Amino acid sequence: MSNAGMNTEVFEQFLIQLERFVRDRLIPVERKIIETDLIPENVLEAMRDMGLFGLTIPEEHGGADMNISQYIRTMHTLSYAMPAFRSIISINVGMFASAFKNGGTEAQKAAWLPRIAAGEIAAFGLTEPGSGSDAAGLQTTAVPTADGWLLNGTKRYITNSPFAKVGLIMARTATENLPKNAHISAFIVPLDIPGVTICKSDRKMGQSGSHIADIVLEDVHVGSEALLGGELGKGFALAMMSLDNGRMSVGAAATAYARRALDSAIRYATERKAFGEPIANFQLIQQMLAQSEIEIYAAECMMDDVTRRADAGENILRKAAAFKVFATEMCGRVVDACVQIHGGAGYLAEYDAERFFRDARIYRIYEGTTQILQLQIAKHMLREFAAAN
């Protein structure tokens, strides 16, 4: 179903404001975030004031009601700054809000979407120690009680869980595996209730200021109203419906971060001198700059195309996967070229090139690894061929 989104003129003015915010407020605090591993609270408040936590949430629930193109362009603009800023809002406006819009009851939407739009942080609990892309291996259970459900299990690599007020937790509601993963349901779980333990934040290769941690559920009791949509067996389907948006968001983030790295490389190449002249004059440096520009442009075109198709109501599963794969792999090549152009300086933490390199590595892994998405793309291609022949 298509969504007209925000008024076009209002949205374009918002993007101009956001670009200024990224330049004037976010990039200047990046070094502090690297030192403290936290986004300053005053910056988070400024992000809340701009409405960044409710971009896709309907206006009646306090959001901006952006369509997919507007949302992804916003993520692209925001992601020129370090990844922590997109990470802190992406679960709210991507996975959590999408699942509620696609499958929540009216009472659930009214209870939670205004809080999320106002800036309460949400988490999305699908991945476990023994299952990620393999939903059939999911072990967290939800057992019915007289007045609700009892949840037990562990969720792993859960973004924002140390800061989150609520989690959307996928749990097994049937012991056997059912077709289309109907053995998995989704539950709304406040993360401050008895039995919920948020473990210590994991130490990571990069992405300072963005936190992931395990969520352990031990005899966690929730009421019957916690079952998303009020129906069993819809949890995994709702999670998958939101993954297209998540993959486009990661693709947009990788595309923007590649642009940031290329801008850094150009600046360094024009300032750094060797053999009496700027290294930007050397043709092999120019080749790396040009190739990076070519690949970023290709990713930008894919982003524009897939989001336009999504807003038109097309099934974009394959194209969203293709964009995510290309953009994230491209970003890996560009940040590597950025280090190479910096030479020895690119290996030093004093320069941005080395953290661009570390930050970008995860883009090829989360929201579906490159390899899982390649398999998914091929599966759909073969299925279409078989249906046509």
Side-chain angles (χ1 to χ4, degrees):
M1 190 170 72
S2 61
N3 170 18
M6 286 178 69
N7 173 278
T8 302
E9 187 175 338
V10 172
F11 174 70
E12 294 299 335
Q13 287 299 315
F14 167 77
L15 269 195
I16 292 170
Q17 181 187 5
L18 181 59
E19 287 172 359
R20 187 180 305 122
F21 182 71
V22 167
R23 183 183 65 245
D24 296 343
R25 291 294 305 276
L26 300 187
I27 290 176
V29 298
E30 288 181 344
R31 285 288 166 181
K32 181 177 181 180
I33 292 171
I34 292 169
E35 292 169 5
T36 63
D37 204 21
L38 287 171
I39 300 174
E41 187 58 38
N42 66 328
V43 174
L44 283 176
E45 278 305 310
M47 293 172 70
R48 291 185 178 102
D49 291 344
M50 288 190 70
L52 293 177
F53 285 86
L55 299 172
T56 60
I57 292 174
E59 287 184 24
E60 63 263 32
H61 296 305
D65 202 20
M66 288 185 180
N67 62 26
I68 293 169
S69 297
Q70 292 169 340
Y71 165 54
I72 298 302
R73 284 183 65 194
T74 300
M75 291 295 96
H76 180 260
T77 301
L78 182 67
S79 298
Y80 188 81
M82 69 189 305
F85 301 114
R86 187 197 75 97
S87 182
I88 198 71
I89 68 170
S90 64
I91 304 301
N92 280 40
V93 294
M95 314 291 275
F96 195 91
S98 291
F100 270 71
K101 288 196 298 180
N102 291 329
T105 66
E106 290 306 312
Q108 288 168 341
K109 293 175 187 178
W112 286 103
L113 290 181
R115 294 171 61 174
I116 296 303
E120 282 195 17
I121 296 168
F124 190 85
L126 175 61
T127 302
E128 297 185 355
S131 69
S133 301
D134 174 24
L138 189 138
Q139 296 298 312
T140 297
T141 59
V143 177
T145 66
D147 59 346
W149 299 87
L150 201 64
L151 275 68
N152 282 279
T154 298
K155 296 298 179 179
R156 177 144 293 172
Y157 309 139
I158 306 304
T159 300
N160 294 338
S161 55
F163 315 121
K165 300 290 187 184
V166 61
L168 191 62
I169 303 296
M170 304 296 145
R172 179 180 284 271
T173 46
T175 53
E176 72 278 13
N177 291 335
L178 300 176
K180 298 184 178 179
N181 292 297
H183 53 283
I184 302 174
S185 302
F187 294 87
I188 307 160
V189 181
L191 296 181
D192 59 354
I193 61 176
V196 177
T197 301
I198 309 298
C199 298
K200 185 179 178 181
S201 291
D202 292 306
R203 296 182 65 187
K204 309 186 306 303
M205 179 189 292
Q207 303 227 354
S208 297
S210 171
H211 287 245
I212 61 172
D214 288 5
I215 299 177
V216 178
L217 308 157
E218 297 176 291
D219 290 337
V220 175
H221 181 267
V222 293
S224 57
E225 73 282 356
L227 176 63
L228 187 68
E231 287 186 53
L232 289 174
K234 293 183 67 175
F236 188 76
L238 292 171
M240 292 303 101
M241 288 172 72
S242 65
L243 279 181
D244 284 344
N245 286 0
R247 287 166 182 165
M248 287 188 287
S249 176
V250 173
T255 303
Y257 215 49
R259 174 66 67 190
R260 173 79 181 278
L262 180 55
D263 287 348
S264 173
I266 293 169
R267 186 178 306 108
Y268 185 81
T270 56
E271 293 173 353
R272 173 76 166 91
K273 291 188 176 181
F275 307 103
E277 59 182 314
I279 63 171
N281 291 350
F282 302 150
Q283 288 184 337
L284 291 180
I285 297 292
Q286 292 175 4
Q287 185 275 336
M288 286 188 279
L289 295 174
Q291 185 62 33
S292 297
E293 173 65 24
I294 290 164
E295 295 201 59
I296 292 170
Y297 176 54
E300 290 170 345
C301 291
M302 292 179 78
M303 182 177 75
D304 290 345
D305 179 70
V306 71
T307 55
R308 176 182 54 79
R309 290 174 182 273
D311 279 329
E314 291 185 29
N315 182 339
I316 49 94
L317 184 150
R318 203 165 88 191
K319 288 181 169 58
F323 169 50
K324 195 269 183 182
V325 169
F326 181 82
T328 57
E329 294 287 340
M330 173 278 293
C331 185
R333 292 188 290 271
V334 172
V335 295
D336 186 72
C338 181
V339 171
Q340 195 72 10
I341 289 166
H342 278 71
Y347 203 68
L348 302 180
E350 177 185 348
Y351 294 85
D352 289 333
E354 70 88 29
R355 61 136 163 154
F356 294 157
F357 187 88
R358 290 184 293 102
D359 284 346
R361 188 60 186 86
I362 189 64
Y363 287 143
R364 287 177 268 173
I365 295 173
Y366 60 23
E367 302 278 11
T369 66
T370 291
Q371 289 70 34
I372 284 290
L373 295 183
Q374 286 171 328
L375 290 174
Q376 188 178 66
I377 291 165
K379 180 178 72 174
H380 283 83
M381 291 169 64
L382 293 169
R383 186 183 297 163
E384 284 183 13
F385 178 81
N389 292 274

